[in-house]
Amino acid sequence: MSIHHIDDLPAPPARFPLGHLKTLRQSDMHRQLLEWSKQYRGLYKIRVMHEALVVIGRGTLIQEVLRQHPGAFRRRSTMQSVFQELGINSLLSAEGQQQRMLFNPAFSGEHLRAFFPSMSRVTRQLLNKAGHIAQSGNPVDGRWLFTQYTVDMLSNLVFGYDTNTLSGNNDVLRGHLAALFPGLNTRVTSAFPYWHWYKTSKDKKLEQALNTVHVFLEQRITEVKKQVFDQPTLRKKPENLLQALVVAQEENSDAFSDSSVISNAAAILVAGEDTTSSLLSWLAYLLALHPDIQSAVQEELLGLPDASLQQWPLPQTPLLTASIYESMQLKPAPPFIFAEALQDCAVGDLFVPKSTRLVMLSNAMSPDEGRFPEPEVFNPYRWLENRWLEKDKCTDSQVMPFAIGLGASPDLSLALPEITLSMGRLLEKYTISVTDAEPVRERCDFLMPDNFSISLTPLI
């Protein structure tokens, strides 16, 4: 029998007066939502105080919501209000096309080519760090290693500043960047704006961190504008994202202020650090758990012409690319996405009233409709066998977990080369192994792995 109203949806038992709020505050909430999705066949409701939230774990229904954006659905309004309140409303939180007009030119293929020398320089720092790790013979926290690399990469690419944390530099800015995502995540997922009355230590760290980043970016914008004025060639070949955004701002000064540039640059730092470091960590972990696939990827890389990964455009690496997408399929970042109905509408056979909030489970998308046989098995070959990586096959968001969000961010075009370059250069020289001390755990914040210890062995 088809479900027609939210009242008809099944719901897990709520043992607390506030409904399922306690579940949504737990560090493993994504696991619980996924288990309930399996139990209720990908469509159910949960309650937060007096509000019913619809949880969707079916790929076809999620795609239906995405197709109706921005007309019928938008990002959760709380996200925009939180970002706006903190002065970082951006492409990642705002609706409409104006922000995208600022960003799209900054992520063009021509600009990515100009960014590549910086990407290569930071990747060499990663290889130097890997050399010290391999020489010591001691395991290292993989999440820590890839987070440091991502911070160094983003600080270089976003505003041309070298934090150099891979070399052990305890950069002050790095400490502030580390406080951004946990504080923002707490506020965006909060049932009510408690910080208007009481600020926790996490809230205070968040606001202090954003203030530091804002001041830093204001200084950098002044410097970058002078650079662009003194070096006109930077208008065509910007060396970092901030330069590209300033050039885009010059071309449409009526639409974009300095605050727009600052908020978008800060948002890329917030989203990019956790997303990319999470994906790199899980990719390394999954390849380490499957040494046969890791060896096949290494064979593919070693078969490339010399120094191919040190030149732009990066060479075709089908199996490595398939492994990246398979890792995103298994461990998507983020594991769920909030949306809100702007009007009365329908999702499948379900009537969705205006203002209804949805929770879409990207980590539950693959199993339905048999699209991914054995979806919990790491099998990058499925992407090659089904030709999903071909350009005409990659328009479907179901095969692009990284970009599933409403109005997906264009920084995917930056993250994929970054992941390909870093993992490709690592696997050219080293084999990654996972130590068996304790099992790896999943942390809900962007599905980060905890207790992820790796060893690096030089290839003979």
Side-chain angles (χ1 to χ4, degrees):
M1 180 178 176
S2 296
I3 296 172
H4 296 286
H5 299 282
I6 292 177
D7 290 342
D8 299 324
L9 289 174
R15 302 177 182 177
F16 302 95
L18 298 180
H20 300 93
L21 181 61
K22 184 175 181 179
T23 298
L24 297 181
R25 305 308 305 163
Q26 294 174 347
S27 61
D28 62 346
M29 62 172 285
H30 63 291
R31 285 184 171 274
Q32 184 60 76
L33 292 176
L34 183 58
E35 286 303 311
W36 285 335
S37 181
K38 293 176 181 177
Q39 180 180 351
Y40 298 113
R41 302 182 64 184
L43 187 62
Y44 61 99
K45 65 184 176 185
I46 55 177
R47 181 170 58 84
V48 176
M49 301 177 72
H50 299 293
E51 180 185 11
L53 279 67
V54 177
V55 183
I56 304 176
R58 296 183 193 170
T60 53
L61 296 183
I62 292 175
Q63 293 217 21
E64 195 169 326
V65 173
L66 298 181
R67 283 194 296 269
Q68 295 184 67
H69 172 266
F73 292 95
R74 56 160 294 152
R75 297 179 181 91
R76 184 180 178 184
S77 57
T78 308
M79 182 177 182
Q80 183 169 353
S81 63
V82 168
F83 275 54
Q84 195 162 19
E85 186 177 276
L86 292 168
I88 54 172
N89 199 30
S90 64
L91 176 66
L92 302 182
S93 56
E95 298 296 319
Q97 294 299 314
Q98 187 181 56
Q99 299 281 357
R100 198 168 294 275
M101 287 169 58
L102 175 64
F103 253 100
N104 286 345
F107 285 97
S108 68
E110 184 179 355
H111 287 174
L112 289 175
R113 177 188 294 273
F115 295 165
F116 189 71
S118 294
M119 294 173 66
S120 294
R121 183 175 63 254
V122 178
T123 302
R124 286 195 296 271
Q125 294 174 0
L126 173 65
L127 293 176
N128 290 337
K129 184 72 173 182
H132 292 306
I133 294 170
Q135 188 174 15
S136 73
N138 297 322
V140 67
D141 185 329
R143 181 168 63 88
W144 167 81
L145 175 66
F146 292 118
T147 297
Q148 286 190 320
Y149 168 73
T150 304
V151 167
D152 286 351
M153 180 68 79
L154 281 171
S155 61
N156 271 271
L157 294 183
V158 173
F159 40 71
Y161 178 78
D162 193 0
T163 54
N164 203 17
T165 55
L166 282 166
S167 300
N169 181 24
N170 188 20
D171 189 271
V172 175
L173 187 61
R174 165 68 186 118
H176 288 293
L177 292 177
L180 290 179
F181 183 79
L184 282 170
N185 186 56
T186 298
R187 289 195 180 185
V188 169
T189 58
S190 177
F192 60 93
Y194 66 87
W195 56 90
H196 289 171
W197 298 276
Y198 174 76
K199 292 179 181 178
T200 65
S201 59
K202 184 184 289 188
D203 291 301
K204 294 175 182 177
K205 288 179 181 178
L206 168 65
E207 294 182 1
Q208 182 182 3
L210 280 173
N211 182 63
T212 300
V213 171
H214 269 262
V215 170
F216 179 84
L217 285 172
E218 287 172 357
Q219 295 171 345
R220 286 296 295 148
I221 284 178
T222 302
E223 296 168 3
V224 164
K225 285 183 176 180
K226 186 177 186 305
Q227 288 175 349
V228 171
F229 180 81
D230 293 340
Q231 304 175 55
T233 55
L234 292 176
R235 287 184 169 85
K236 291 187 176 181
K237 294 183 178 181
E239 296 171 347
N240 55 67
L241 181 64
L242 196 55
Q243 289 178 356
L245 290 175
V246 165
V247 171
Q249 180 195 28
E250 281 186 351
E251 295 173 354
N252 200 345
S253 58
D254 293 336
F256 306 119
S257 62
D258 283 356
S259 62
S260 296
V261 175
I262 290 173
S263 60
N264 279 286
I268 283 293
L269 285 172
V270 172
E273 177 189 346
D274 285 272
T275 305
T276 306
S277 59
S278 173
L279 293 173
L280 270 170
S281 297
W282 284 119
L283 176 60
Y285 175 72
L286 292 167
L287 287 172
L289 287 186
H290 299 83
D292 54 332
I293 298 176
Q294 183 176 182
S295 295
V297 171
Q298 289 171 318
E299 184 177 348
E300 175 182 77
L301 294 168
L302 295 175
L304 296 172
D306 291 344
S308 292
L309 287 173
Q310 300 175 43
Q311 305 169 32
W312 185 266
L314 291 172
Q316 296 293 315
T317 51
L319 185 55
L320 174 57
T321 303
S323 298
I324 294 171
Y325 275 87
E326 180 70 353
S327 178
M328 291 192 287
Q329 185 271 126
L330 283 171
K331 306 292 183 182
F336 46 80
I337 298 143
F338 293 100
E340 188 173 313
L342 292 170
Q343 60 191 36
D344 291 350
C345 52
V347 178
D349 293 330
L350 179 67
F351 171 72
V352 179
K354 180 181 178 180
S355 300
T356 300
R357 287 196 287 171
L358 311 179
V359 183
M360 298 183 289
L361 306 181
S362 49
N363 60 344
M365 285 181 62
S366 301
D368 72 313
E369 290 97 37
R371 179 95 189 243
F372 283 80
E374 299 183 299
E376 296 179 358
V377 175
F378 181 67
N379 176 22
Y381 295 104
R382 73 176 99 218
W383 296 84
L384 305 179
E385 293 164 359
N386 292 283
R387 301 170 60 190
W388 285 335
L389 295 177
E390 296 179 10
K391 287 185 178 180
D392 61 338
K393 304 286 185 180
C394 257
T395 57
D396 187 344
S397 61
Q398 193 167 349
V399 300
M400 297 184 69
F402 186 97
I404 189 180
L406 294 175
S409 171
D411 64 339
L412 174 65
S413 60
L414 182 62
L416 287 179
E418 180 184 344
I419 295 169
T420 301
L421 178 64
S422 56
M423 192 57 63
R425 294 296 306 277
L426 268 180
L427 293 177
E428 279 183 327
K429 295 180 176 293
Y430 303 101
T431 294
I432 303 172
S433 303
V434 179
T435 60
D436 297 326
E438 293 182 43
V440 171
R441 299 182 299 269
E442 292 180 1
R443 182 161 54 87
C444 188
D445 290 351
F446 266 73
L447 209 64
M448 293 289 281
D450 266 342
N451 195 43
F452 172 41
S453 183
I454 61 172
S455 297
L456 299 174
T457 305
L459 290 178
I460 299 175

